[in-house]
Amino acid sequence: MTRTIPVNQNLVEMEYAVRGAIPRRAIEMQRTGRTIYACNLGNPQALGQKPITFYRQVLTLLEAAENIDRERSLARVAAANHQLFNESGVEPLSNYIIDYSANFLEQCRTGMGAYTESSGPLFIRAAIARFINRRDGDSIAADPEQIFLTDGASDAAKRILELLITGPQDGVMIPIPQYPLYSATVKRCGGAQVNYYPDEDSDWALTPEILGEAYRKATADGVHVKCIVAINPGNPTGAILDKPSIDGVVHFAEQHGLAIIADEVYQNNLYGGTFISMASAVGAREIPLFSLHSISKGFAGECGHRGGYMELRHMPQVEGTGMNLAELILKQASVSLCSNTVGQAIIYMLVNPPEKDSAPYGVYQEEKNAVLGELEAKAALIKESFKQMEGMECFGRTGAMYLFPRLNTLPSGSNDFDYCMALLEETGICTVNGAGFGQLPGTKHMRIAFLPPRETVTGFLPGWIRFHNRYVHRPQI
Ligand SMILES: Cc1ncc(COP(=O)(O)O)c(C=O)c1O
């Protein structure tokens, strides 16, 4: 007889569509030799994006510190024997890279293989604080003691929600559509998901009415709303929030005594607007704020190395204790000992890039601009193609790595899942249907991640346009 075991039901009920039925079918098709265009995941290096050379050169020395002396000697020999080195085609590491790496190791003292402080080494947190101050202006300076390094933003979101959700009555406001990390984590922590619906036709803007309506409904159902998640730029919408929307979230949170979780992992992926951080909008107001950043996105695309940080502002006292919430977060971090050190090193490099006029600066800038330029070009190409697809509409000032068009004219009896599955079967283009992220009832969408190389995108777009215009005219399914 097969044994059964009761487990945490929240995990059984948790869903994560980004790795759901459509990508599973794509894997099956790939096994039979079909070409698949993976437009379902925001995983840049899996789709050919090259790592930033500066990051990897420093990482090699951090992991093999004994090579630092060898590289120094090599650099000296190279400087003295220019011609020989030019002819050999070997390029020694620059002194800047060597010094940068040595300096990192000197500051962290215990090397890459040791546990670090639970919140992450102070010098990295201080570098993050300087980055935030450069980004936002330092009228309200970031405090390194309120910064925690994490194994990516997913880890941060999990930690925050685990703390805030005390039971099934505790509500978390989530934009719909949303990146399913949030619905899944609220579920896993046993809380209540409270949906709010950004206005798609106004480029996914937020208004006091939208937020107020969601809050009222939840409260009427007995839910105690505790915090609001804002994802900017958005996943899956790709939309960049405008100033009135951001100020609206801040005002709303203040009015209702909510904490804000600002997921800002795409803050460097901007192709049609400017990024306004939630921290700058909150300013001195006493609103508890958790801001999340990551090495996975932007131009770094270092998803597999799992790095990121959360910045806390205006943390309240914990009920029934003399403790500030930041202290509890430190205790929580201590239980996992520390985040991984490679992720820590990359977030350090992300916020502390090579200085202007340093040897690696030129290549670094070139690589960064190339990645962001390609993303922008691919987004524009795909958006342009939508104009040739009947009933396809796409809103939002483009950011992140996604477009989330609305499928206005699907044949009756067919939904967005059917569309995306048929698109996969007929063209090999693997996307995620809108329902996987949640969508306004009655609407149908799909998300396309524009990460495959530009020539691949250019190659599959005509087939998609043909597929689409045939599909929408199919007789009732
Ligand atoms: C909005 C958003 N937040 C967080 C994450 C996860 O980031 P990380 O790799 O840092 O855990 C993703 C990944 O796609 C995302 O889209």
Side-chain angles (χ1 to χ4, degrees):
M1 206 173 64
T2 316
R3 266 183 59 175
T4 60
I5 183 169
V7 295
N8 182 340
Q9 198 57 25
N10 293 334
L11 284 167
V12 176
E13 288 167 19
M14 192 173 83
E15 286 177 20
Y16 189 74
V18 179
R19 297 195 174 194
I22 296 171
R24 277 204 301 275
R25 173 69 190 132
I27 292 168
E28 278 171 23
M29 289 166 63
Q30 211 159 21
R31 284 203 190 112
T32 67
R34 283 282 303 276
T35 302
I36 298 298
Y37 307 110
C39 298
N40 57 310
L41 277 178
N43 191 6
Q45 293 190 22
L47 294 158
Q49 184 178 308
K50 296 269 179 299
I52 297 289
T53 304
F54 170 69
Y55 295 169
R56 294 307 178 92
Q57 288 185 332
V58 171
L59 275 185
T60 56
L61 291 185
L62 297 186
E63 288 285 20
E66 67 281 5
N67 286 350
I68 288 183
D69 287 341
R70 198 189 66 163
E71 290 298 333
R72 265 198 214 293
S73 308
L74 208 59
R76 264 198 307 275
V77 176
N81 298 279
H82 243 320
Q83 202 182 341
L84 183 70
F85 262 81
N86 280 349
E87 283 165 11
S88 73
V90 175
E91 204 170 317
L93 291 179
S94 67
N95 280 319
Y96 187 88
I97 297 277
I98 300 167
D99 291 344
Y100 189 103
S101 313
N103 184 266
F104 182 100
L105 289 171
E106 210 175 290
Q107 293 194 76
C108 83
R109 291 199 289 272
T110 48
M112 298 296 282
Y115 293 132
T116 67
E117 265 184 79
S118 299
S119 50
L122 180 60
F123 80 97
I124 300 184
R125 292 183 282 118
I128 292 170
R130 288 195 296 276
F131 159 82
I132 295 170
N133 294 341
R134 279 197 306 278
R135 185 193 67 190
D136 293 348
D138 45 11
S139 55
I140 299 173
D143 175 2
E145 295 302 344
Q146 300 289 311
I147 292 170
F148 287 74
L149 302 191
T150 60
D151 288 332
S154 312
D155 176 35
K158 193 175 120 199
R159 290 195 210 177
I160 299 162
L161 291 173
E162 177 186 67
L163 272 172
L164 296 184
I165 296 174
T166 65
Q169 73 291 345
D170 281 350
V172 179
M173 288 182 64
I174 295 178
I176 297 295
Q178 52 105 32
Y179 174 55
L181 163 68
Y182 291 98
S183 52
T185 311
V186 169
K187 182 77 188 160
R188 165 192 208 139
C189 298
Q193 177 178 330
V194 176
N195 297 340
Y196 67 90
Y197 295 88
D199 181 4
E200 179 172 16
D201 293 82
S202 309
D203 288 333
W204 302 100
L206 295 172
T207 62
E209 293 72 32
I210 289 171
L211 301 175
E213 195 189 325
Y215 184 87
R216 268 191 304 279
K217 248 194 193 148
T219 311
D221 290 343
V223 171
H224 173 223
V225 180
K226 291 186 83 171
C227 69
I228 177 166
V229 176
I231 309 175
N232 180 37
N235 179 5
T237 61
I240 302 167
L241 284 179
D242 61 7
K243 179 126 177 55
S245 298
I246 291 174
D247 287 343
V249 171
V250 172
H251 180 69
F252 177 77
E254 187 171 41
Q255 202 180 5
H256 296 287
L258 308 183
I260 302 175
I261 301 175
D263 182 328
E264 297 175 336
V265 302
Y266 296 104
Q267 61 188 271
N268 288 317
N269 296 103
L270 310 165
Y271 325 111
T274 43
F275 169 74
I276 302 164
S277 75
M278 198 59 82
S280 67
V282 165
R285 276 175 280 193
E286 282 297 323
I287 302 166
L289 169 66
F290 304 85
S291 302
L292 277 42
H293 198 9
S294 168
I295 60 170
S296 298
K297 312 295 172 178
F299 52 90
E302 293 280 6
C303 301
H305 278 131
R306 317 304 297 128
Y309 72 78
M310 59 176 166
E311 192 215 355
L312 319 178
R313 293 202 179 202
H314 315 300
M315 287 294 110
Q317 292 297 108
V318 177
E319 204 175 83
T321 72
M323 220 187 217
N324 184 271
L325 188 53
E327 291 172 69
L328 192 54
I329 290 172
L330 180 59
K331 184 160 87 167
Q332 183 194 37
S334 315
V335 179
S336 313
L337 299 163
C338 67
S339 63
N340 81 85
T341 55
V342 173
Q344 292 180 356
I346 301 178
I347 195 80
Y348 177 72
M349 290 187 267
L350 187 88
V351 299
N352 191 34
E355 286 158 54
K356 228 176 169 165
D357 303 325
S358 68
Y361 181 77
V363 172
Y364 171 82
Q365 278 299 114
E366 226 169 77
E367 290 176 345
K368 171 179 164 179
N369 293 340
V371 170
L372 296 177
E374 278 299 286
L375 288 170
E376 179 164 21
K378 288 183 283 185
L381 266 173
I382 300 171
K383 253 187 152 173
E384 210 39 47
S385 298
F386 291 158
K387 293 183 185 157
Q388 297 174 58
M389 299 185 196
E390 201 177 315
M392 194 75 133
E393 270 188 299
C394 189
F395 297 91
R397 281 169 298 277
T398 316
M401 300 169 169
Y402 317 101
L403 292 167
F404 194 69
R406 188 165 66 203
L407 299 153
N408 288 326
T409 52
L410 292 185
S412 68
S414 163
N415 59 27
D416 46 29
F417 177 84
D418 303 326
Y419 176 93
C420 291
M421 194 57 110
L423 177 68
L424 172 67
E425 296 285 354
E426 292 183 32
T427 67
I429 304 170
C430 182
T431 57
V432 184
N433 63 305
F437 305 97
Q439 53 196 342
L440 191 68
T443 63
K444 299 181 184 81
H445 296 81
M446 65 185 300
R447 186 192 78 169
I448 171 157
F450 42 83
L451 286 168
R454 193 185 330 193
E455 59 278 14
T456 307
V457 173
T458 316
F460 70 58
L461 281 176
W464 183 3
I465 296 169
R466 280 194 302 277
F467 161 84
H468 179 93
N469 292 331
R470 269 197 323 266
Y471 189 92
V472 297
H473 289 292
R474 277 182 191 182
Q476 223 172 333
I477 293 172

